[in-house]
Amino acid sequence: MSLWDRYGVEADVRRVLAGATGRRGPGHHFDAPYLSAYQLVIELSQMGAPIAVHYGRRLGGKGLNEHSSLAQYVANQLSKRIKSGQISDIEGAFISSKHLVGMTYRTT
């Protein structure tokens, strides 16, 4: 059994996405905001999701020198499942690097 299935990651990801509101107010005409893989795993960690507790690697981030951070794992698994059609109601996207100087994530 995969870690994804063992720890119910899809259900936890769906809970995080369902609660994603960003700075838009109620009734805003835009759909729910996108979350980066880093934002997603920060939320998973803060809610005590089993994958975040038991994965055994750091969340992710620049300079870790790890090729299997939790952010990389979750992004990879989502990508595979979306591409195969196993998950059809969650979208993936890239943030454009055009005019982007830096981006910092923090846990609060």
Side-chain angles (χ1 to χ4, degrees):
M1 173 182 281
S2 70
L3 293 175
W4 185 268
D5 294 325
R6 181 182 313 150
Y7 295 122
V9 180
E10 184 175 334
D12 288 335
V13 165
R14 289 181 182 282
R15 270 193 287 286
V16 169
L17 294 176
T21 58
R23 294 179 187 242
R24 65 187 175 101
H28 195 281
H29 61 281
F30 283 178
D31 288 335
Y34 285 99
L35 295 177
S36 72
Y38 295 112
Q39 290 169 301
L40 190 55
V41 298
I42 289 169
E43 289 293 319
L44 290 172
S45 178
Q46 289 180 345
M47 68 187 261
I51 190 67
V53 173
H54 298 288
Y55 188 64
R57 303 256 182 182
R58 294 169 62 186
L59 295 182
K62 183 179 178 181
L64 281 184
N65 294 324
E66 292 180 10
H67 298 289
S68 58
S69 70
L70 184 55
Q72 289 169 313
Y73 173 77
V74 169
N76 181 272
Q77 293 300 310
L78 278 171
S79 178
K80 286 179 181 179
R81 285 167 167 73
I82 291 167
K83 185 176 180 180
S84 74
Q86 191 175 357
I87 295 176
S88 61
D89 59 341
I90 295 175
E91 296 179 73
F94 287 105
I95 297 172
S96 171
S97 60
K98 189 172 186 174
H99 308 294
L100 182 66
V101 175
M103 189 176 289
T104 303
Y105 297 96
R106 64 174 181 212
T107 57
T108 55

